[in-house]
Amino acid sequence: NICIFIFVELSGFRYEIFRLFGLVPAATWGSLKIWQPLTYLFLHSGIFHILINMFVLWMFGRDLEYRWGKESFIKYFIISGTGSGIVTIIFDFTSFTPVVGASGAVYGVLMAYALAFPNRIVYLYGLFPVKVKYMIAFLGAAAFFASVSEVGSSISHLTHLSGMIIGLVYLKRGKLLHNWKSWLPKIKIHKNLSYRNTKSSIMKDDQKRKIDEILDKLKESGWDGLSETEKQQLFNASKYYSEDQFPN
């Protein structure tokens, strides 16, 4: 993001680049510029715009990347960002105003952080303590009302809101699929289901105890205090225990 920002600012072709690689809903739809829902993520309209996005991405994305792993984090970032771009095109398909910035993906990261660490405390403006889940709920509500009433705004609140929704749907896809399947008739029940569930429960308890020990060590010694094996166990456990909450 930073390298592309510097290149665009020094190129002298900022307007042309925004028109070609920014998200222009009417052009994406009418001129088949199908790359725009991806490329708009890497363009920013000013130094303040990119600094805020990259600071929030670092602040909240760091712990998610540690937990998920680099590949899964990048995958989620791209999905929530491109997804929010596609939703913007659908609901604003006549617009010729370029939408640029990683904000859609960043809002997706904020949603994921709230699901993973809902009770962590964030100090707004460095002064006011608030739990992450309340802060994200407020941001989501603000983006919703702003997107409903936005007229002539230079900020695409719809893209922000879409990033949160796409991220939520993606993270909860396992639970949504399970709930959908629950409406289907039960055709076959394995006779050893109870035994298997009990065995699975015992295995989970044992693994959870080991992970709790690693988390205690993480709290005392920090991330650098963990061995590579312990880091890998933490990554694997996060995927195993929270399949409905974290990307594969």
Side-chain angles (χ1 to χ4, degrees):
N1 274 282
I2 294 173
C3 290
I4 291 175
F5 173 78
I6 294 173
F7 169 77
V8 170
E9 293 300 307
L10 296 179
S11 68
F13 297 99
R14 185 181 183 212
Y15 177 81
E16 292 79 4
I17 292 173
F18 276 22
R19 282 290 176 184
L20 184 60
F21 295 105
L23 184 68
V24 184
T28 309
W29 186 270
S31 303
L32 295 181
K33 295 180 179 179
I34 57 175
W35 57 84
Q36 291 186 346
L38 173 63
T39 55
Y40 88 104
L41 291 171
F42 305 101
L43 300 173
H44 290 82
S45 60
I47 187 68
F48 183 74
H49 188 198
I50 191 172
L51 284 180
I52 289 295
N53 272 347
M54 295 304 99
F55 174 73
V56 175
L57 178 61
W58 168 79
M59 182 176 179
F60 293 97
R62 193 162 164 248
D63 287 338
L64 293 176
E65 185 185 18
Y66 281 153
R67 174 170 283 199
W68 295 348
K70 188 181 296 292
E71 290 184 4
S72 292
F73 179 78
I74 292 175
K75 178 181 176 182
Y76 175 77
F77 182 86
I78 296 296
I79 287 174
S80 58
T82 55
S84 65
I86 292 171
V87 172
T88 302
I89 293 170
I90 293 173
F91 285 92
D92 199 17
F93 61 90
T94 61
S95 174
F96 284 92
T97 303
V99 177
V100 296
S103 300
V106 169
Y107 268 70
V109 169
L110 289 173
M111 173 60 74
Y113 193 90
L115 292 174
F117 312 105
N119 295 313
R120 282 192 177 178
I121 301 297
V122 175
Y123 286 85
L124 296 180
Y125 305 109
L127 298 173
F128 308 107
V130 61
K131 288 186 177 181
V132 168
K133 58 184 178 183
Y134 299 133
M135 182 189 76
I136 303 306
F138 172 78
L139 289 176
F144 171 76
F145 288 112
S147 64
V148 171
S149 61
E150 74 178 1
V151 178
S153 173
S154 61
I155 300 174
S156 180
H157 299 286
L158 174 61
T159 307
H160 297 172
L161 179 63
S162 301
M164 299 181 79
I165 294 174
I166 293 295
L168 178 63
V169 171
Y170 179 71
L171 294 175
K172 292 294 186 180
R173 67 195 185 281
K175 182 174 290 187
L176 292 173
L177 181 62
H178 173 76
N179 291 340
W180 177 78
K181 286 182 176 180
S182 68
W183 289 88
L184 299 177
K186 303 296 187 297
I187 298 176
K188 183 178 179 181
I189 300 177
H190 199 285
K191 64 180 180 179
N192 292 325
L193 181 61
S194 177
Y195 167 75
R196 284 158 49 189
N197 286 344
T198 302
K199 183 178 179 181
S200 176
S201 178
I202 293 173
M203 292 176 63
K204 287 183 178 180
D205 289 342
D206 183 57
Q207 292 176 359
K208 185 176 184 302
R209 179 181 55 78
K210 294 179 180 178
I211 295 303
D212 286 341
E213 292 175 357
I214 296 176
L215 291 175
D216 289 338
K217 184 177 179 181
L218 177 63
K219 185 176 180 180
E220 294 177 0
S221 307
W223 182 256
D224 293 333
L226 300 181
S227 65
E228 290 301 320
T229 301
E230 289 171 331
K231 292 177 182 178
Q232 189 61 46
Q233 287 177 335
L234 205 56
F235 290 150
N236 294 339
S238 67
K239 297 177 183 178
Y240 179 79
Y241 288 120
S242 306
E243 184 177 359
D244 67 326
Q245 203 172 43
F246 301 112
N248 293 321

